[in-house]
Each structure stands twice: as C-alpha cells, then as structure tokens.
Amino acid sequence: MWVVHLILALAALYAVIIAGMYFAQTWLLFPTALAGAARVRLPASTQRLEVCTAEGERLVGVRIPSEGATAKGAPTLLGFGGNAWNAEATALTLHALFPHRDVVAFHYRGYPPSSGRPSARALFSDSLVIFDYLAQARGGGPILPIGFSIGGAVAAYLAKHRSVAGLILVTPFDSLEAVARDLYWWAPVGPLFRNRMPTIEFVRGSNVPTALITAQHDAIAPKRRSAPLRAEIGNLVFERAIDAGHNDLYDHPAFATAAREALMRIETTSDR
C-alpha cells in the first residue's frame, strides 16, 4: 500500500510542478523585473521615443544618433534584445558595435517604462508598429533589424512582414518551443506552451540578405537549435561561429569583428 501512496504523492508533486510552469512561463520567458534592473549610461545625444499600439499600449524606446556623418542611404539599425535586455542596453550594444550608424531599440511590451503584458504575439505585433513609426519618421529610409537571442525571432518576424534592408541574427534558435523541449524534456511542453516563436518559419525561403552569428559553446541556443536555420535562409550572405558561450559572446573581440563584417556584407549585397 505504501508504494501506491508514494506513486500518488509523486504524481501530485509532478502535477503541481507542471501547473506552476504553465502559469509562470510568461515570467520565465520575459523577466521584466530583471530587465528593468539593468542600468547603462547612454550618450548625451540619446533621444527618447514613444509610440502607441492599436490597443493603446505605450512603447518607449531610445535612439542613439550616429557619431558623425553616415554614408548616404545607410540603414537605421533596429535592435531587438534578449529576454533580459532592455532598450537602453540593446541600443548601447549596437552603438558600440556600429558608432557610425543610427541605432534604435524599444523596451518590449510590459518592460518598464513600456506598458502592457509581454507575450510572443505582442512582441511580434509591436515590431510592426515600431517599424512603421520609424519608416514614417525617416521618410521611408531603410531599416535593418538586428535580433539577439529571443530577439532574433522578433527581428525575423519583422523581416518577413516588412521590407527591410537586411537581417542580422545573433545566437538565434529555430523554435522557442524546441528550446523548451530540450530544457524540460520531462514535461509535456507542447500542450502547455503559449508563446510560440518559430524563427525557422519566418526565415524559410526569405530573400532578405541575412547574417547569422552563433556561439560555439552556446548552452541556451546550441548548434542543434541554430543550425536548422542555415538551410532555410534563402539569402545567407554571412555566417560566423564565435568561440564563446551565449552570454559571454559580447566580450569577445571576434564578435565585434563578425558583427561589422556582417553589416558590410549586407550593405554590399543591397547595393548591387
């Protein structure tokens, strides 16, 4: 009889854990408090941006102008950070990499001071609102999305639904659900997962000049999750694997070199 009671207790514990994961998945995927705690020092030239969604949510962003004159027709770089990044960290990262380009980034929905509640669907739809706002403000000038980690899915979605100058994906995954299945192999991820981000579907057959930068020792978006993208991207103009992990990638000089070469390849391709 004690065996039956043990099995029932373990089953009840498993059910509690699964229920907790279901209700906590938004917090786990989009740690708004963690992102809000990050503070960086922005250049004095930084401009604050704001746009409203059709639902009335307020999206707040920053723009860091180029240092000096930019080449004629150079695109504005629109950054989409990782799930624990805020707009300021994203914009400053891009500015450090590309000081002679205008860079823009927005706090994701629900990431203070942006309002609302984050979700994959919200981030996707907000990317279109942000793009349309920037395109109008720039008089139709070119815009190039750059996505880091989970932001790669958002950038790829935008590139599928709007005319962009190119696309740079840094440590992307083929599918957020597939990443979750790898991490939580013991849980019924499929029925529980609410935030589907199938990057591979967004890049499949795309003719947008695309660059792919991965980390060789990435434990979050490992090779088995990024490699499938390579075969589906229709116009892969640059690819580089950096000898680094998911989070320490940005400390490696090879990453900065790769990012700048990726932008150069895309701009060269677009000029043809």
Side-chain angles (χ1 to χ4, degrees):
M1 182 63 69
W2 69 268
V3 174
V4 174
H5 287 298
L6 177 61
I7 293 174
L8 291 175
L10 291 175
L13 177 61
Y14 179 78
V16 169
I17 293 173
I18 296 301
M21 291 177 62
Y22 176 78
F23 290 108
Q25 69 176 270
T26 297
W27 179 85
L28 292 170
L29 289 174
F30 307 109
T32 57
L34 183 60
R39 290 290 181 267
V40 298
R41 186 170 182 176
L42 296 171
S45 60
T46 301
Q47 302 166 4
R48 302 289 172 175
L49 307 175
E50 186 172 323
V51 64
C52 287
T53 70
E55 304 90 346
E57 299 298 351
R58 172 173 167 262
L59 303 177
V60 179
V62 295
R63 172 181 176 267
I64 304 180
S66 163
E67 293 181 357
T70 59
K72 184 178 180 180
T76 292
L77 307 182
L78 176 56
F80 296 96
N83 68 336
W85 295 31
N86 60 29
E88 295 172 351
T90 304
L92 196 61
T93 297
L94 289 176
H95 180 66
L97 291 169
F98 311 107
H100 301 298
R101 295 288 185 275
D102 288 350
V103 302
V104 173
F106 275 75
H107 298 280
Y108 290 138
R109 185 186 299 210
Y111 284 55
S114 291
S115 66
R117 180 179 173 83
S119 69
R121 183 176 296 179
L123 268 58
F124 290 153
S125 64
D126 290 348
S127 72
L128 304 183
V129 173
I130 292 167
F131 179 92
D132 293 344
Y133 163 79
L134 289 178
Q136 183 176 14
R138 282 182 51 84
I143 297 172
L144 194 158
I146 301 177
F148 301 88
S149 190
I150 203 170
V154 185
Y157 177 88
L158 173 59
K160 180 177 176 65
H161 292 87
R162 292 292 187 270
S163 178
V164 299
L167 175 65
I168 299 178
L169 302 177
V170 180
T171 61
F173 47 73
D174 56 348
S175 161
L176 184 58
E177 183 177 346
V179 172
R181 288 182 187 276
D182 286 351
L183 292 174
Y184 306 107
W185 52 268
W186 44 268
V189 169
L192 300 176
F193 211 66
R194 300 194 306 270
N195 291 280
R196 302 184 189 279
M197 304 181 91
T199 312
I200 197 165
E201 293 182 13
F202 304 148
V203 301
R204 182 171 288 133
S206 171
N207 289 322
V208 173
T210 301
L212 185 62
I213 301 175
T214 59
Q216 292 179 354
H217 311 294
D218 198 327
I220 296 175
K223 185 176 181 179
R224 66 179 177 276
R225 296 276 62 89
S226 60
L229 294 170
R230 184 186 307 112
E232 298 295 339
I233 295 172
N235 189 9
L236 184 63
V237 300
F238 179 84
E239 182 182 7
R240 183 72 51 79
I242 308 299
D243 185 17
H246 189 84
N247 293 317
D248 67 342
L249 170 72
Y250 310 101
D251 299 327
H252 288 249
F255 168 68
T257 300
R260 290 164 186 152
E261 186 175 347
L263 178 60
M264 181 188 68
R265 292 278 189 90
I266 288 174
E267 291 184 329
T268 300
T269 302
S270 299
D271 290 340
R272 291 175 183 172

